[in-house]
Amino acid sequence: MKYYTGIEIGGTKLQLIVGDEHLNIIEHFRYAVDKEKGAAGIQEQIESTLKNEILAKYRPVSIGVGYGGPVDHITGKVRVSHHIGGWSGFELSSWLHNISGLPLKVDNDANTAALGEAVKGAGQLYNKVFYVTLGSGMGGGFVIGKELFHGELPGESEIGLALFDKSGANFESRCSGWAVDKKIRQYVADHPETILSRLVGESGKSEAQFLLPAIQQGDTGATQILESTADDLAFGLSHIVHLFNPEVIIIGGGLSLIGDPLLASVKQHIIKYLTKAFQPGPKIELAALGEDVVGIGALLLAKAASEKLLYDS
């Protein structure tokens, strides 16, 4: 049996998974990121897990990495670190090769997740798949024929960085998880006696997780927050349709866990932003792979790295 290793490096979590040649997950290691230890702490955990838990036991043939930020997918060098200090300029691919001796492929986490959903998730029946992730930030990835589309460096498919208007606001500032958290904090401050305010309580973080239960319990303000966010997201996705017209757009990330209410609202709103020639637009689906999406995408990167090595030889 041939094994691959996939690594997800995020701002809050680190995951290493071992998958077989059919991309079934065999073993899964997950760690919370200690921001105070910075990149060095994450690197120490990766090295320890690889050496003590993975390399000798499974003898993987290659490694794939989904990194949470801008990264040079050709050299595997981290370009910028937005979430955790100490990553900027780090030669990630070279460092991992020195530890493992294995071929590697590195990409940013949104692209990696897009690949995972296109091949093993909600997009596997389609040829042209655009994936958007709504997490702490907002990113995207475009997969054609089960292969990632790459523009020129430094990147591509960054729907979250596209401007919402000329004021400088972008879609990430309107549709990401932290943007919804901000909306909820303002709503709770202005309406302290509401259902949403009671649910949020003293949590102090990830307020968006309380949006769906508040909606289910009849909080009209929570419904308005969802509708305004879905409307903004639909406006952003309309640009994707007019530029690329994919067969399906997949919505993933923590905010996608709101589920059908978010999906239904986006589908309803996007029609008004599409020209008649593009209506009714592509299918819009929720991501299917959950928290494993980047890890499974990383396994696919690892498989590609291995096959390229075999081809080159």
Side-chain angles (χ1 to χ4, degrees), residues 70-82:
V71 61
D72 186 328
H73 67 90
I74 297 173
T75 65
K77 179 180 179 178
V78 176
R79 299 179 67 87
V80 181
S81 177
H82 292 307

Side-chain angles (χ1 to χ4, degrees), residues 16-64:
L16 293 90
I17 66 175
V18 177
D20 64 18
E21 54 197 7
H22 303 296
L23 303 179
N24 299 309
I25 296 176
I26 304 301
E27 193 158 5
H28 193 163
F29 304 90
R30 175 172 176 163
Y31 310 100
V33 167
D34 185 342
K35 292 189 176 184
E36 292 186 2
K37 293 184 178 180
I42 298 172
Q43 291 158 19
E44 181 180 346
Q45 190 68 71
I46 292 173
E47 184 170 4
S48 173
T49 304
L50 283 174
K51 288 182 175 179
N52 299 326
E53 306 289 347
I54 295 177
L55 294 177
K57 182 178 180 180
Y58 293 102
R59 299 188 182 278
V61 297
S62 55
I63 297 174

Side-chain angles (χ1 to χ4, degrees), residues 5 42-43 59 87 92 100 112 117 123 131 154 179 191 199 202 216 230:
T5 295
I42 298 172
Q43 291 158 19
R59 299 188 182 278
W87 279 116
L92 179 56
S100 66
T112 306
E117 282 292 336
Y131 172 84
H191 305 87
L199 291 172
E202 301 297 325
Q216 292 171 332

